[in-house]
Every structure is written in structure tokens, then in C-alpha cells.
């Protein structure tokens, strides 16, 4: 590496769940070794009420770990006013850089749609109020999520921003989001044989809106599919994106790191 402009590029994992019980046995060993394996930054995303309680222990212990506070639609039925106030308090903390993950999940359908929608809207409003990006989860609810996001974006006067995590929609829907300035989160699914739709999104979307994510412990890329995922496996996602876009892996790593910093304002 020569020249003043060169710097050591590192992987930015925009969406991880290191508080998940899948890491109970070796959490510190995994997290402590990430930097030396080329991972520079991780945003740990809250999903359940329990992870809201645990998020601080990770962000306080590891300088490179940031957090997002929010409740996943699968847990919307457990959300209380008190919990919502806790999310609001966390949002004021320096290392909490987003509200999420929030959205709609009509696949697992663990909470009534009306309850999911209500808390989704409340948390979107909170993000606008706190001037934080949102991390959006949408499963089997692509059209309705887009409609809610479009309305919230307009209502916010164009200030609502964020990422559509583990994007699973069509290239057309991706364009609707990127036209509003939202980022598209791409992870292990892009390496799957049945990931054709996502490959098409990656091929056609604007590169300045592309970020990478593990969603670990879930969604490990091929050839680790089905096993526990972690941020070091993002090299496989980077290689796939590089092949799809005719770029080098280093270019993709640099680009997605810069995009992630812009998304979370880090
Ligand atoms: Zn997630």
C-alpha cells in the first residue's frame, strides 16, 4: 500500500445479532477476533425485548460495535409503552446509531397485522424525531411495507432515511426505495442458488445505496449455508457482489464501507 490516499479498508457489517444465544458459548472469542480478520465495524441490531436489555453490554465492551434499538415485528405483541420509552432513551445514547429492526412480518405472523403496523408506525415516527436511520425488516409484506415507507417518507418531508435489511423484493421495488434515498442491505442470500432475484437487484441498483450485512447467526453464505454465520463470512458476499458488478473485492469492500458510514453517520 503506497500513497497518501490509501488506507486500510475493513469490512462493515451493517446488521448482526451477536446478543443471540447462538453466541453464548464463545461470544467474546468471536467478537475479539473480528478486527484481526478484517472486520472493522459492526452494528448490532435489537430484535427482541431481551436484546434491548443486552445491547449496552456489547456497545460498551467493544469500541467497534454500535447498536440499533427497536422491536422486530415478530415481538410486536410483547411491546409495551414502557418498552417504547426505553427505545426512546436508548436512541439518545451516542453508540445507538439507528432504530431497528422494525417492520412487518406476515410470514411468521406472530402478532396481529394491526399490532405490527401500529408499532411499526410509532417506531418510524421516533426515528424521525430522533433524526436516526431506520433498519427495516419486511417479510411476505413487500407491497404494504413500501406503501407505509412511502407515506412516512413524505410525511417526514423527505427526512426519513435508513436501510431495507435482507432485501428480498424485486429490482422494481428496490428502485422505489433507492429513489427515496434508502439503502439496500445484501447478505448471504446473494450467494444462494435460489437467490436469482437478489442477484438481479445487485446487478441493477445504484452502487451508492448498497450495504452488506450478515444477519448473523442466520443466513450464512454458501458454502456455509445452514451453519452459524458471523461477520468474517462477509468476504464471500463481497466476492459475489464483485463478480456480479465486474469489480474487485477490494472495491466492493471499500464502497460498502463508505456507504455504511453514510447510512449510520459514522
Ligand atoms: Zn436481523
Amino acid at each position: 500500500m503506497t500513497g497518501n490516499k490509501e488506507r486500510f479498508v475493513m469490512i462493515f457489517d451493517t446488521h448482526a445479532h451477536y446478543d443471540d444465544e447462538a453466541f453464548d458459548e464463545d461470544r467474546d472469542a468471536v467478537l475479539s477476533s473480528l478486527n484481526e480478520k478484517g472486520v472493522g465495524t459492526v452494528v448490532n441490531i435489537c430484535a427482541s425485548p431481551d436484546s434491548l436489555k443486552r445491547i449496552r453490554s456489547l456497545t460498551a465492551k467493544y469500541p467497534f460495535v454500535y447498536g440499533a434499538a427497536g422491536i422486530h415485528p415478530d415481538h410486536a405483541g410483547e411491546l409495551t409503552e414502557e418498552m417504547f420509552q426505553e427505545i426512546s432513551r436508548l436512541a439518545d445514547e451516542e453508540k445507538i446509531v439507528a432504530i431497528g429492526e422494525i417492520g412487518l412480518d406476515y410470514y411468521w405472523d406472530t402478532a396481529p397485522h394491526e399490532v405490527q403496523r401500529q408499532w411499526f408506525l410509532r417506531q418510524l415516527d421516533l426515528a424521525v424525531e430522533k433524526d436516526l436511520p431506520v433498519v427495516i425488516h419486511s417479510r411476505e409484506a413487500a407491497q404494504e411495507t413500501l406503501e407505509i415507507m412511502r407515506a412516512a417518507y413524505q410525511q417526514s418531508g423527505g427526512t426519513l432515511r435508513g436501510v431495507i435489511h435482507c432485501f428480498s423484493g424485486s429490482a422494481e421495488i428496490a428502485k422505489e426505495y433507492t429513489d427515496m434515498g434508502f439503502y439496500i442491505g445484501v447478505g448471504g442470500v446473494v450467494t444462494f442458488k435460489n437467490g436469482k432475484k437478489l442477484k438481479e437487484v445487485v446487478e441493477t441498483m445504484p452502487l451508492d445505496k448498497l450495504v452488506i450485512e450478515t444477519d448473523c447467526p442466520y443466513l450464512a453464505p454458501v458454502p456455509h449455508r445452514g451453519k452459524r454465520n458471523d461477520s468474517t463470512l462477509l468476504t464471500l458476499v463481497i466476492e459475489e457482489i464483485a463478480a456480479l458488478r465486474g469489480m474487485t473485492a477490494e472495491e466492493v469492500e471499500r464502497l460498502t464501507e463508505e456507504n455504511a458510514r453514510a447510512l449510520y453517520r459514522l
Side-chain angles (χ1 to χ4, degrees):
M1 300 275 259
T2 54
N4 289 333
K5 279 187 177 169
E6 300 271 20
R7 66 186 173 93
F8 187 46
V9 181
M10 289 181 96
I11 292 171
F12 193 131
D13 186 350
T14 60
H15 191 119
H17 299 282
Y18 282 108
D19 58 295
D20 191 279
E21 61 183 10
F23 294 103
D24 280 355
E25 300 283 304
D26 59 350
R27 182 171 295 107
D28 186 54
V30 173
L31 282 164
S32 299
S33 69
L34 286 183
N35 284 172
E36 69 201 40
K37 290 174 178 167
V39 178
T41 316
V42 170
V43 177
N44 200 77
I45 312 286
C46 279
S48 64
D50 277 347
S51 62
L52 267 188
K53 290 181 204 143
R54 291 188 294 243
I55 187 76
R56 273 200 198 92
S57 62
L58 291 178
T59 58
K61 188 166 181 188
Y62 304 97
F64 65 96
V65 176
Y66 295 82
I71 295 289
H72 191 289
D74 286 351
H75 294 275
E78 301 155 53
L79 235 163
T80 60
E81 200 55 43
E82 199 188 346
M83 226 179 272
F84 182 78
Q85 293 310 324
E86 176 61 12
I87 297 170
S88 176
R89 271 193 298 276
L90 282 167
D92 293 331
E93 294 192 7
E94 202 188 331
K95 288 196 83 183
I96 300 297
V97 294
I99 300 293
E101 57 188 287
I102 60 174
L104 301 173
D105 193 318
Y106 296 167
Y107 176 79
W108 291 109
D109 246 346
T110 52
H113 294 187
E114 193 43 50
V115 174
Q116 293 192 34
R117 269 194 293 270
Q118 178 207 331
W119 286 114
F120 182 20
L121 292 172
R122 289 280 305 274
Q123 294 180 94
L124 283 174
D125 284 348
L126 181 67
V128 173
E129 182 195 319
K130 303 286 185 184
D131 192 24
L132 287 175
V134 286
V135 178
I136 301 298
H137 171 103
S138 176
R139 197 158 178 203
E140 304 277 309
Q143 198 55 40
E144 194 178 333
T145 306
L146 176 62
E147 280 159 22
I148 287 175
M149 292 298 288
R150 200 188 279 128
Y153 175 77
Q154 282 162 359
Q155 201 192 332
S156 75
T159 61
L160 178 65
R161 58 202 170 86
V163 57
I164 315 303
H165 130 74
C166 193
F167 188 78
S168 60
S170 63
E172 290 73 33
I173 289 186
K175 187 177 183 311
E176 299 265 3
Y177 281 119
T178 57
D179 281 352
M180 289 187 278
F182 290 102
Y183 291 81
I184 300 292
V186 173
V189 176
V190 78
T191 68
F192 294 179
K193 238 186 212 150
N194 56 357
K196 198 165 168 274
K197 199 160 72 166
L198 182 60
K199 288 181 207 278
E200 199 186 305
V201 169
V202 169
E203 278 166 351
T204 56
M205 67 170 290
L207 282 172
D208 66 341
K209 293 292 176 240
L210 174 64
V211 293
I212 54 172
E213 59 171 55
T214 52
D215 204 18
C216 65
Y218 311 106
L219 297 173
V222 171
H224 305 278
R225 191 174 179 178
K227 303 204 184 94
R228 188 180 76 173
N229 197 4
D230 69 60
S231 308
T232 64
L233 298 182
L234 279 174
T235 50
L236 295 160
V237 172
I238 288 169
E239 278 165 23
E240 182 64 31
I241 294 170
L244 290 167
R245 295 297 302 230
M247 298 166 72
T248 66
E250 202 197 334
E251 283 167 339
V252 173
E253 195 169 313
R254 182 185 303 273
L255 171 88
T256 53
E257 198 224 21
E258 282 171 7
N259 292 347
R261 291 200 178 285
L263 161 64
Y264 291 124
R265 294 193 176 162
L266 285 172

